[in-house]
Amino acid sequence: MPTTREAILATLHARLQTLAALALRDEVLPERIPAAGLIILRDGQPGEPEVTLSPLRYHYQHRAELEVVVQAATGRATAFDTLIAAIGTALDADRTLGGLCDWIEAEAPASVDLPVEGAAALKAAVITVILHYTTTGPLA
């Protein structure tokens, strides 16, 4: 049986796979970016939990990251905005990931344009996704 953390991250990854963009988890950036864009889920850090003692529970605000990349010669900003909006809609659809999380929320992306020699430029951003959840132990 997977840990709470793994179950949440696997469910988040499955949710992202329903989008038109290719959704990977903890993979290296591929040489080619699909036309619909690319999302790479990074597991991130659970951080220091708040602890309650009776009953013993660990309350995390886990910070996972989504690396979002689009590549296009024209319409790059529109394609990027469309992908970001689709991610937002997917997260808004169920903020508890089927009851696994107390709450999930994304921070606003800060995008950058990256030139690529001999190819269309990339537009990319890292979106921090905060996963609020509770476990019975730090390894549970």
Side-chain angles (χ1 to χ4, degrees):
M1 186 166 154
T3 62
T4 301
R5 179 184 82 77
E6 178 57 27
I8 289 168
L9 290 168
T11 302
L12 176 57
H13 183 237
R15 173 81 45 88
L16 295 171
Q17 287 180 318
T18 65
L19 302 176
L22 175 63
L24 304 173
R25 182 170 172 201
D26 285 327
E27 296 285 337
V28 297
L29 186 67
E31 288 184 24
R32 296 186 192 278
I33 305 300
L38 173 70
I39 304 166
I40 302 175
L41 169 61
R42 303 284 179 204
D43 289 356
Q45 299 295 321
E48 288 295 319
E50 299 261 340
V51 180
T52 55
L53 298 176
S54 184
L56 181 60
R57 298 289 184 263
Y58 295 80
H59 310 279
Y60 288 96
Q61 291 184 23
H62 186 123
R63 299 176 70 83
E65 293 181 336
L66 302 178
E67 294 176 7
V68 180
V69 183
V70 296
Q71 184 174 30
T74 60
R76 186 172 49 255
T78 302
F80 182 80
D81 188 59
T82 300
L83 181 52
I84 295 295
I87 292 169
T89 300
L91 297 180
D92 288 347
D94 180 7
R95 291 209 179 251
T96 66
L97 295 176
L100 293 172
C101 274
D102 296 326
W103 191 252
I104 181 174
E105 61 184 295
E107 294 181 348
S111 63
V112 295
D113 290 308
L114 304 169
V116 177
E117 188 174 328
L122 302 174
K123 189 167 191 83
V126 173
I127 301 172
T128 300
V129 178
I130 305 168
L131 308 161
H132 301 264
Y133 59 90
T134 300
T135 66
T136 56
L139 302 178

